[in-house]
Amino acid sequence: MSNRSISWNAALRDIRSDRTVVPVGFLSARARCQGFAEFRHRPLVVAGQFDRSAVMAAAASAAKAHQERHGGTWQAAMSVCLKASWQAARMARNATAH
């Protein structure tokens, strides 16, 4: 029988690297998408179904602000904002279901 040694430094480094990384500007993009739905009176969820055009419009609006604030490419801004917009839509659907 052999004894195995554990490198605690390596183990803790692996644990830290497994954490989910939140993209820069994600939380503000989600808030902008939720605000878009409220202020433009264009809900992201209608009758329990996602309104895809409203989700895309909210993401595009948030992406413009994201690009102005953080710089970067349009593709990177839309990537972050589409994820945020869909998360806001899922939260809205769950809120109406309960």
Side-chain angles (χ1 to χ4, degrees):
M1 186 156 119
S2 65
N3 291 333
R4 298 172 81 185
S5 63
I6 295 175
S7 170
W8 287 102
N9 288 333
L12 291 174
R13 182 182 61 236
D14 290 343
I15 289 171
R16 275 187 239 110
S17 67
D18 286 344
R19 291 184 186 151
T20 303
V21 178
V22 178
V24 174
F26 180 80
L27 298 177
S28 63
R30 186 178 65 198
R32 283 187 182 276
C33 292
Q34 290 170 335
F36 176 88
E38 289 179 24
F39 296 127
R40 298 268 174 105
H41 300 290
R42 198 159 174 205
L44 302 175
V45 177
V46 177
Q49 300 291 320
F50 294 120
D51 184 357
R52 292 181 182 168
S53 64
V55 170
M56 188 64 180
S61 174
K64 288 177 188 174
H66 184 275
Q67 197 173 23
E68 289 173 2
R69 184 175 216 182
H70 299 288
T73 64
W74 177 252
Q75 181 182 6
M78 276 301 286
S79 174
V80 169
C81 293
L82 275 171
K83 289 174 189 171
S85 184
W86 278 108
Q87 187 180 51
R90 284 192 303 271
M91 288 170 51
R93 185 178 68 176
N94 289 340
T96 58
H98 295 288

